[in-house]
Amino acid sequence: MSPRSLQRTSRTVSVSQPVSTPVTAASARTEASAPTAAELLDFVRRSAADKDLIASLPLDPEGRTWVRLEGPGGSEAWLIAWPPGTGTGWHDHAESFGAFATAAGELKEYSLAARLPASGWKTLELNEGVDRERQLGAGQSRSFGKHHVHEVLNESAAEHAVSVHAYYPPLPLIRRFSRSGAVLRLEQVERPEDWQ
């Protein structure tokens, strides 16, 4: 079994095979006007370097705060403050790709190098070798594709972190997961009305 595979509790699911989607005239028009991953990455980098924008975000000592931004090409964008010790928990962004940049402090990202099935499961057993980890200090950024599963944390005991995030298409939903060792469990599905 390759490291880019997941195992359901009852059967193996290969995640290395590409998924094709038929292109229609309407979807081709939408794709032509959609921002690229590079444009989202450029947007979050420029926004994270905007000192006035970063200074405008209120900081709460106990919980994350956020402000919605105008992202490029109809994307969804957020400026987020992370108090010490806060994080997102494991989640994905459904069919959206995106990027984020750290403007202040440092964030740690744990992610899975595997594509989860879109539906039809509650519990998955992860194979060895799918875990990834990266530190993103002030001025650092990254982009990610559709179906990206991760958690982002401010592990500092004393310092706030601030970051800028952008997604396209705008987030249709977020799936939240719990994790115990190699077992990933779907816990909740959030819709835009839950966070806006």
Side-chain angles (χ1 to χ4, degrees), residues 6 10 18 27-28 36 41-42 53 61 65-66 68 86 91 95 100 117 125-126 128 133 150 153 177 181:
L6 299 172
S10 60
S27 68
T36 65
L41 187 59
D42 179 60
L53 175 65
T65 53
W66 53 87
R68 184 146 187 186
T86 59
H91 67 283
E95 295 290 323
F100 70 95
E125 183 173 337
L126 303 170
E128 290 184 31
E133 176 182 321
H150 69 165
L153 306 162
F177 310 101

Side-chain angles (χ1 to χ4, degrees), residues 84-100:
T86 59
T88 60
W90 286 96
H91 67 283
D92 71 3
H93 309 103
E95 295 290 323
S96 300
F97 62 92
F100 70 95

Side-chain angles (χ1 to χ4, degrees), residues 25-39:
S27 68
R29 265 193 314 280
T30 302
E31 290 172 14
S33 63
T36 65
E39 289 169 331

Side-chain angles (χ1 to χ4, degrees), residues 118-180:
S119 63
W121 66 278
K122 288 285 188 185
T123 303
L124 292 173
E125 183 173 337
L126 303 170
N127 288 343
E128 290 184 31
V130 298
D131 287 295
R132 301 292 181 265
E133 176 182 321
R134 80 174 64 200
Q135 294 285 134
L136 293 145
Q140 294 182 307
S141 57
R142 71 155 310 186
S143 61
F144 52 86
K146 295 178 179 183
H147 311 287
H148 182 68
V149 178
H150 69 165
E151 72 172 333
V152 180
L153 306 162
N154 176 6
E155 294 184 326
S156 171
E159 186 180 349
H160 264 79
V162 177
S163 58
V164 179
H165 303 247
Y167 312 95
Y168 190 85
L171 297 173
L173 59 89
I174 293 176
R175 295 186 302 177
R176 296 210 175 268
F177 310 101
S178 63
R179 182 163 180 194
S180 178

Side-chain angles (χ1 to χ4, degrees), residues 37-111:
E39 289 169 331
L40 292 184
L41 187 59
D42 179 60
F43 170 80
V44 298
R45 286 176 175 162
R46 283 185 292 106
S47 298
D50 182 337
K51 295 191 183 316
D52 291 336
L53 175 65
I54 302 311
S56 73
L57 183 63
L59 303 181
D60 183 312
E62 296 178 17
R64 289 189 302 149
T65 53
W66 53 87
V67 173
R68 184 146 187 186
L69 304 175
E70 287 295 321
S75 64
E76 181 171 342
W78 297 91
L79 175 62
I80 301 174
W82 309 72
T86 59
T88 60
W90 286 96
H91 67 283
D92 71 3
H93 309 103
E95 295 290 323
S96 300
F97 62 92
F100 70 95
T102 304
E106 185 172 82
L107 294 173
K108 180 173 265 187
E109 179 192 35
Y110 295 98
S111 62

